[in-house]
Amino acid sequence: MAPALKLHDLDGEHSLTLDVGGQAADAAGAEAGHEPNGYFWEGLVRFAWPDIAERLDFDSEAGMLCAVGSPSDFARLKAAVAPVITSPEAVRDVIARAETSGFEFDD
């Protein structure tokens, strides 16, 4: 896993978390007028990768993105999100596509 993405297993329930506020791409969200919190990152996942998001349950908070699901879903989520959390350009691209489509972030 990328260091920022953490996989947890508690009594057979699997979750993946991303602590927000210190990611390289957080500034791109803020520059676009968003609060780069857990809800923003959840919205980014829901918009950019709806096929992955629909298989997960989210329990995000202000300070973290949290998804509950299976290890195989997390492998797909990690592959999608890991390069984006380090790339302000990728976040700007997703935000621009989301705004064009009328998607609203809940941040």
Side-chain angles (χ1 to χ4, degrees):
M1 292 252 131
L5 297 167
K6 298 176 185 127
L7 185 59
H8 309 273
D9 180 355
L10 181 62
D11 297 328
E13 183 173 275
H14 303 280
S15 63
L16 180 137
T17 60
L18 168 66
D19 292 329
V20 299
Q23 304 308 318
D26 284 341
E31 290 166 5
H34 297 284
E35 180 69 32
N37 57 27
Y39 307 111
F40 166 77
W41 283 101
E42 179 181 327
L44 191 131
V45 169
R46 288 182 184 276
F47 173 77
W49 305 284
D51 58 321
I52 298 172
E54 72 184 11
R55 298 178 52 85
L56 302 170
D57 291 317
F58 290 93
D59 190 20
S60 298
E61 300 175 0
M64 113 183 125
L65 164 71
C66 179
V68 178
S70 72
S72 62
D73 291 329
F74 294 142
R76 293 180 61 213
L77 182 61
K78 176 213 173 251
V81 173
V84 174
I85 61 177
T86 60
S87 173
E89 296 79 23
V91 170
R92 286 185 198 101
D93 177 63
V94 173
I95 291 170
R97 289 187 291 121
E99 290 174 349
T100 299
S101 75
F103 182 85
E104 299 221 5
F105 289 90
D106 183 21
D107 54 287

